[in-house]
Amino acid sequence: MICWGQKQQLKRQRIKNMTEILQCLAGYRPTTVNGPAQEQKCRIVSHFQSANLKSVREVLSLPAVDVQRLTGLAHPEVHQLLTAAAHACRRHAPLSVLQLQRGECCRCESGLRLGVSCPVLDGLLRGGLPVGGITELSGQSGAGKTQLALQISLSVQYPVEHGGLGGGALYICTEDSFPIRRLQQMISEQANLRSEVPSSLIRGLRFSDHVYIEHAADLDSLQVCLSRRAPVLLAAGLVRLIVVDSVAALFRSEFQAEDWMERNKQLLTFSSMLHQLSQEFTTPVLCINQVTDVLKDHDSLGPLSSSVTPALGLAWANQVLVRLMIRRLQKTVSRGDQSSALRQLEVVFAPHLARSKCEVAVWREGVRGVAAFE
Amino acid sequence: MFLTLPSILEKWPCQWSSGASGRRASPSFNAGEAVTALELLQRERECGSITTFSSQLDHALKGGLPVGKVTEICGAPGVGKTHLCLQLSVDIQIPRSFGGLEAQVIFMDTEGSFVLQRVVDIAAAVVRHFSLLAVDGEQKDTMQTFNMESILSNIFLVRCHDYVELQAELLLLPDFLRDKPRVRLLVIDSVAFPFRQHLDDLSQRTRLLQGLAQQVISMATRHNIAVVITNQMTTRLQDSQSHLVPALGEIWGHASTTRIILQWEGSQQVAAIVKSPCCIDTAIQYQITSEGFRDANQPEITLTNRR
């Protein structure tokens, strides 16, 4: 057997995560024929110690040539170390989509959706908001974004069979103060909005107790909220929805036009925190965004259906899974003693939805889609 | 196994390791082996390609996405990259009696954009399409086994949450390919997403990406699989004007053999082949219908939203 090896030095030092490395090497069969397996494992471990690599993740974050240089191991042994580390890092083996459909893996895409308390809108969204990514809702001021966000904060509290997720909502305000009166009004009219749900169930749900309101006036407090308070609420199962109203406010106000690189970096940090929370706790995240005018000769990110585009540019758009836009139309619609300006809710892009629109109106009880035949 | 000294001296080291681990004989390139250009051409013809269901794109790519090569699909969010990947994941399973590859696929999802509902839509449309096309007995027999369940059982999904998990999955991929020899397509959707987060050190990112590029290229040739990687777009300022360019830098641009950029031109979606060894730079129009990735002028059968 031709040996690639070089001279090896045995150093006895204490390392952190020694047990981790031994565990991940324990189940791994070495492919070399020379020498007993145990001796080879000790050699790999000792080289690992001397390289001052602290964890399995650190081993995988470096290119293979760097690992080889740091540990001084031969190429096949570096490969063994990396493969053992990969086994330790892996959360689950690849599973077929058929198994996914049958619900054999709860961590993966399960098709679970958060309904928005309106059958027309649920039809537009094919069930509701997906639980595994960021849904963005953008529009001009007064279009109805906060109204819809409040409605979804209530619909999440219903049990799963009624389109909710059986948990509360964490509502992070960055602009105005929280519209508490409007929320109270919507809570009192829930029986009207959700007429298909037994009223005893609605009476039993204590809606206002389960909406956790946070005010974040700047980026630092937003980071603190997402990194400290949100995980506690999510881990305890108290919260199954995160709403950020709005995303644009903080990023547009704290950065000048020239600081766009720093802004993008902060935006990426913020969105990766949201993604982490969303994935770990299978929680939908709804971000409300402002709009900005479309510049002439601007590289289009989509067919121009209106003169405005969501703010924060391409860097933010790349993080978003489902993009919705809402805008006011010139028409009004009336029903009984109420009248409402008509809005249009449009699906701009989503992996599972066609580009489609529907008309919505805002009533006392909440936001309702206007069905086609009405 | 006993060997004589002259035979040991003739062999290359990697031939030893492949022999010791008992890897299956791969029909493709063995390191250190010299082949003639004619043999390579014949092998390439045997490899086949994956149809995209858009006849114009298939024609521009000389049959479809090539097996044994790395193809990169870039585009702005929402333009249809994931849709094309899902379409390819279903199309690679088309039975041989219909001219397909009848193979399996491993899908590495880093963004969470793999949605079951959409796969079901695309698979249903493909099954419907071929059940209408089946003419002879053999094709009708294959349609008995080519159905929604079989299609879903041949797509393997891995969800990677960051670049470390992606590296881990790629390291374990050769073992997976050995256990499942029918896998002929690897999709990574997308490679830009995990590498643009949590990685401030650009030189580390570049080296990791180069390592990843080498890994996927060697897997594509050694195991004879098609590799499809999606990439995001970023803005670059040039002459005080901003342009959309593929993300991850110039060095990553060398990783793929073929590069397709999906973009909007007015209200029309256009796929531009910007880098390819065998096709000239072309741009074709396409659309995403409820059935999947199709030609732009193809009439859609149903346009309504379904649950």
Side-chain angles (χ1 to χ4, degrees), chain A residues 4 57 61 66 90-91 94-98 109 113 126 268 279 299 302-303 314 318-319 351-352, chain B residues 13 77 83 115-118 121 152 155 157 159 162 165 169 193 196 204 207 233 242 244 264 306:
Chain A
W4 285 86
R57 281 184 66 92
S61 319
D66 283 8
R90 175 187 252 190
R91 293 197 192 195
L95 68 161
S96 76
V97 175
L98 191 64
E109 140 79 6
R113 300 275 182 269
R126 283 181 90 180
L268 276 182
Q279 294 303 327
D299 270 321
L314 188 56
N318 276 321
Q319 309 299 319
H352 58 303
Chain B
H83 276 105
V115 180
L116 194 56
Q117 276 173 321
R118 196 57 188 143
D121 288 346
L152 295 183
I155 304 177
L157 176 69
R159 180 82 173 84
D162 54 27
E165 281 184 40
E169 288 302 333
F193 189 80
R196 294 175 95 192
Q204 185 192 4
R207 280 179 301 139
M233 301 292 268
S242 69
L244 278 184
W264 287 97
R306 300 189 303 272

Side-chain angles (χ1 to χ4, degrees), chain B residues 133-154:
Chain B
L133 272 184
V135 286
D136 60 32
E138 192 198 346
Q139 289 180 342
K140 291 206 167 101
D141 284 336
T142 17
M143 287 314 294
Q144 304 285 339
T145 45
F146 185 61
N147 51 27
M148 178 68 67
E149 271 203 8
S150 76
I151 293 180
L152 295 183
S153 65
N154 287 327

Side-chain angles (χ1 to χ4, degrees), chain B residues 78-103:
Chain B
V79 77
K81 310 183 286 293
T82 307
H83 276 105
L84 181 53
C85 292
L86 294 177
Q87 185 73 56
L88 291 167
S89 307
V90 175
D91 290 348
I92 196 164
Q93 303 182 42
I94 295 171
R96 284 203 195 93
S97 51
F98 290 102
L101 292 169
E102 209 170 311

